[in-house]
Each structure stands twice: as structure tokens, then as C-alpha cells.
Amino acid sequence: MGLAVNVAVMHENKILLTQREDFETWILPSGGVEEGESLAQAALRETKEETGLDVELTRLVGVYSRLGSFSPGYMILFAARPMGGEIKCQPGETIAVQWFDFDQLPSPLSAGHKRRVEDAISGACGVVVLQEINLPEFPESPTRSELMEMRDQSGLSRQQFYVKLMEQAVYSETVEIQPAE
């Protein structure tokens, strides 16, 4: 299980989301922490790579543990504001980068991101959340390549495959530490 960062870039009551190439779902700018970089450095790098924007991190929103049979991992969510750059996609990862009004979020959001977006928008600071996603009748913790093969052999569009997969999921969420007020 890896450690990743998510970044909620917000400006004028809008949040910046990216559309993933692999499942055509919407997510916060996100990615893994590389060896030799801090969490904040990873957040800045991933945001620049996936959106083209330079940002300033403004707060730590929370820590999210995603456990279960579907893509387990640990995410650190930062809030940020744009400081410069020009919106662009990252070939092979993002197919769209777009601002959305807080009350008009796109669908589908990737599993777990709805909670993270809501926490960032609400001003949460220091929340700790356990998100469990289990897929009955699904191979135990498939590799990324196995998942992509299943997607490609399904006969469905990338987004349809993901939506159908998540309809079967047993999802639970536990707030382990309430956000600071």
C-alpha cells in the first residue's frame, strides 16, 4: 500500500478537478510520494504535473486510510490556492482539468474523493477518516495491470466499467478523528 497526496485547489468558490485517463472519473490532483521528497513537495509536484498550475498549500485537511480489496492506500489531503501557471493535462494520466462550483461537482467522482472534496470545501482541518471499499466477487487486491486488463476485456467504456464496479462495492466510512474547529 502506498502513500499518496491529494490537493484541493480552490479559488472563488470553485475547486479544480482532473479527469483520469484510466477510468474517466473525476478526482483531486493526486499522486504518490517519491523517495527523497516531503509530503508538501509531493503535493506541489503532483499538482503542477497534473494541472499545469503552481499552487500554495494553505492547510492540511486530513489523512485518509483506504482499506479493503479495492486499491488500498493512504492519502494526505492538502488545501491550496493557485499562484500561477496555465491549466493543461498530463498525457497518459489526465484527459481534462476543470474548475467546478462547490455545489455543482461532476460525476462520477472516484471512490473516496467525494468525502475528501467535501472536507476541503467545508474548511476541515485535521480530520482522520477510514474508508473501506470491498468488492465481493472480485479478485483480492488486483494489481493495476490486472484491473486494466479486466477493464479492457469488459466491453464497456472506461467510465461504465468503473461505475459498474463501484455499484457492486461495499463502502463504509468511519471518522476516526473529528476535524478541528
Side-chain angles (χ1 to χ4, degrees):
M1 290 195 294
L3 179 62
V5 291
N6 299 154
V7 183
V9 182
M10 296 178 286
H11 182 66
E12 297 178 351
N13 293 316
K14 293 182 184 234
I15 190 163
L16 188 68
L17 299 175
T18 65
Q19 191 174 31
R20 295 174 54 115
E21 184 269 340
D22 58 0
F23 295 117
E24 299 176 357
T25 57
W26 292 94
I27 65 169
L28 295 160
S30 307
V33 178
E34 295 179 357
E35 190 167 331
E37 71 181 349
S38 71
L39 296 169
Q41 290 167 339
L44 296 172
R45 176 186 51 77
E46 283 292 341
T47 303
K48 180 70 171 180
E49 287 176 2
E50 292 190 358
T51 71
L53 294 183
D54 296 305
V55 299
E56 176 184 29
L57 302 179
T58 57
R59 68 185 149 89
L60 174 64
V61 176
V63 179
Y64 301 79
S65 301
R66 187 175 57 216
L67 303 178
S69 63
F70 183 73
S71 190
Y74 302 100
M75 284 64 62
I76 310 298
L77 174 58
F78 293 96
R81 68 173 159 246
M83 300 301 288
E86 190 173 312
I87 289 181
K88 63 179 181 177
C89 291
Q90 181 181 22
E93 277 202 49
T94 59
I95 57 173
V97 179
Q98 192 172 331
W99 291 100
F100 292 93
D101 290 329
F102 288 167
D103 61 353
Q104 294 183 350
L105 299 175
S107 183
L109 287 171
S110 284
H113 279 255
K114 183 176 189 295
R115 170 61 191 243
R116 290 177 228 153
V117 166
E118 289 170 352
D119 286 346
I121 289 171
S122 75
C125 190
V127 66
V128 177
V129 179
L130 167 61
Q131 298 174 313
E132 293 183 86
I133 305 171
N134 288 295
L135 296 164
E137 304 175 33
F138 194 73
E140 184 73 25
S141 299
T143 65
R144 179 164 176 76
S145 61
E146 290 171 333
L147 190 57
M148 296 303 106
E149 186 176 328
M150 289 175 8
R151 177 201 69 191
D152 294 343
Q153 293 177 354
S154 71
L156 301 170
S157 74
R158 292 170 181 220
Q159 193 176 84
Q160 288 170 332
F161 174 80
Y162 185 84
V163 168
K164 185 174 180 187
L165 195 62
M166 288 301 111
E167 285 173 352
Q168 302 168 30
V170 177
Y171 184 84
S172 66
E173 203 169 76
T174 305
V175 176
E176 296 179 313
I177 297 176
Q178 292 291 333
E181 293 186 20

